[in-house]
Amino acid sequence: MASIPSGTICMRDARSERVREVHLRPFQLAHTQVTNAQWAQVPGMRPEHHAGSNLPAHPVTWFEAVAWCNASSLAAGLEPAYGFGERGTLWNVGAEGYRLPTEAEWEFACRAGTTGPTHGPLDDIAWTAGDSLDGPRQVGLKAANAFGAFDMLGNIWEWCWDYADTARYGDYRSLRGGGWDDKAWSCRASVRRGSAPDAVIDDVGFRVARGAVGEPGGSIAQGWSAQADRRRAAIRGPLPVGWTPLRSLQED
């Protein structure tokens, strides 16, 4: 795990065109995406991923990523980060167990002190469509960023904790980083994509974070808050075509 220092990052909401400043506590982030070998060490996961391989585990659903995090925490004697309630998956921000990074954590770690669209020349740091690949490559073969994290861009998309947009896309969760078949414009630190948490997508996997970043039982941490999710989902009146607010989070 790489030690990511505290810091500040500006996050932009493309739909509302708002920019917010997020102050982050220190946390840990895996040097690489979870590999097939790491996946296979945890019992109960789908067997398609084979032990002994340094390819990133893929395809992985958001639900599977969360389950893997909890199982890995228990195996390591750590308090699991996730629980499950009437409103779905709950994050205990005070737990030390393995978890998915928030989008703010992911982008801050990806940028590693840089301010441009990428933390280095893509040819040096990322597997993209420019490499004419038919699948991902083993993790860690290209240059790491200044925080020691490999493949933050390219290779496979990575699940984050956050909802993509609870007003427009229901329970879709966020993806970051771009994949092996994506062009350069998709492999930038600020680009985000969303998908259903049970979607099986060939170029999607995950990397884990660790660290208590809030009070036990709290609902706000590292650029995310449950209240903001609920507020965003609480759409009143006629909906734009195609919008599917997440009803389970709507405020009474």
Side-chain angles (χ1 to χ4, degrees), residues 56-166:
H58 72 289
V60 176
T61 71
W62 187 91
F63 287 132
E64 288 175 326
V66 165
W68 191 94
C69 287
N70 268 9
S72 294
S73 297
L74 289 170
L78 301 170
E79 181 182 8
Y82 300 116
F84 305 94
E86 292 182 0
R87 290 188 169 182
T89 306
L90 307 174
W91 172 25
N92 177 5
V93 299
E96 286 283 354
Y98 295 105
R99 57 180 178 81
L100 298 178
T102 67
E103 284 197 83
E105 287 177 328
W106 187 95
E107 187 170 330
F108 182 78
C110 177
R111 291 186 179 281
T114 64
T115 58
T118 68
H119 58 82
L122 274 182
D123 286 348
D124 296 339
I125 65 173
W127 298 107
T128 70
D131 296 299
S132 300
L133 305 174
D134 59 1
R137 291 297 181 261
Q138 293 185 24
V139 300
L141 296 182
K142 294 219 173 185
N145 67 13
F147 288 159
F150 296 87
D151 303 306
M152 292 294 297
L153 299 175
N155 216 22
I156 59 171
W157 290 85
E158 300 178 16
W159 288 114
C160 289
W161 161 252
D162 310 56
Y163 287 104
D165 184 338
T166 54

Side-chain angles (χ1 to χ4, degrees), residues 192-238:
R192 66 197 301 265
R193 164 181 154 191
S195 192
D198 59 353
V200 179
I201 308 171
D202 195 42
D203 62 351
V204 170
F206 68 112
R207 112 177 35 224
V208 295
R210 258 201 69 194
V213 287
E215 297 302 318
S219 60
I220 181 169
Q222 305 292 72
W224 164 81
S225 83
Q227 183 180 17
D229 286 341
R230 290 194 297 271
R231 186 169 58 247
R232 197 175 181 108
I235 300 297
R236 299 288 184 263

